[in-house]
Amino acid sequence: GGGQVSPDDVIYTERLKDVDLNDKVRFDRVLLVGTAAATAIGRPDLPEATVTAVVEAEEQDKKVRVFKKKRRKNYRKMRGHRQVLTCLRILSVDCPSLATAER
């Protein structure tokens, strides 16, 4: 994954193994959580912060073409592949330490 998310965002990540459609996934390596009032920065990550998401779909990315050629040798090879992606909808971003800092 990686990136900036908020609730109800839809993100695409590389394929997550051992997950099915409508499974809830929890990520606990969160680097930064912030609101308009306060921000919590992890060094290197926030130990109690979590991001919860639900798996919506598994799709394929567009085709990547790989062309190899050796000049003057009549050697040409065309290959390609499509990366499998997992579509996630972010349900919540929780950080208990940020909630206490806002008060």
Side-chain angles (χ1 to χ4, degrees):
Q4 183 175 349
V5 297
S6 59
D8 292 329
D9 280 356
V10 175
I11 61 170
Y12 289 90
T13 64
E14 289 185 8
R15 181 173 159 226
L16 299 175
K17 294 182 179 180
D18 303 328
V19 295
D20 293 323
L21 205 60
N22 296 324
D23 280 356
K24 285 191 178 179
V25 182
R26 207 175 113 203
F27 300 102
D28 21 344
R29 277 200 67 204
V30 179
L31 303 178
L32 183 133
V33 175
T35 62
T39 302
I41 301 172
R43 294 185 179 96
D45 54 356
L46 295 168
E48 64 275 344
T50 60
V51 175
T52 308
V54 64
V55 177
E56 286 200 337
E58 229 180 51
E59 302 173 358
Q60 285 187 326
D61 203 7
K62 63 183 181 186
K63 180 172 271 199
V64 176
R65 296 180 186 267
V66 179
F67 182 70
K68 296 181 180 181
K69 177 183 177 181
K70 294 186 181 178
R71 60 187 192 149
R72 295 189 300 270
K73 305 295 183 205
N74 197 23
Y75 173 81
R76 292 183 294 262
K77 190 183 285 190
M78 177 72 93
R79 297 279 188 255
H81 76 282
R82 295 181 69 183
Q83 186 73 30
V84 179
L85 302 175
T86 301
C87 177
L88 300 172
R89 178 172 299 276
I90 305 299
L91 297 177
S92 66
V93 179
D94 300 319
C95 184
S97 63
L98 188 65
T100 58
E102 287 180 353
R103 290 184 212 154

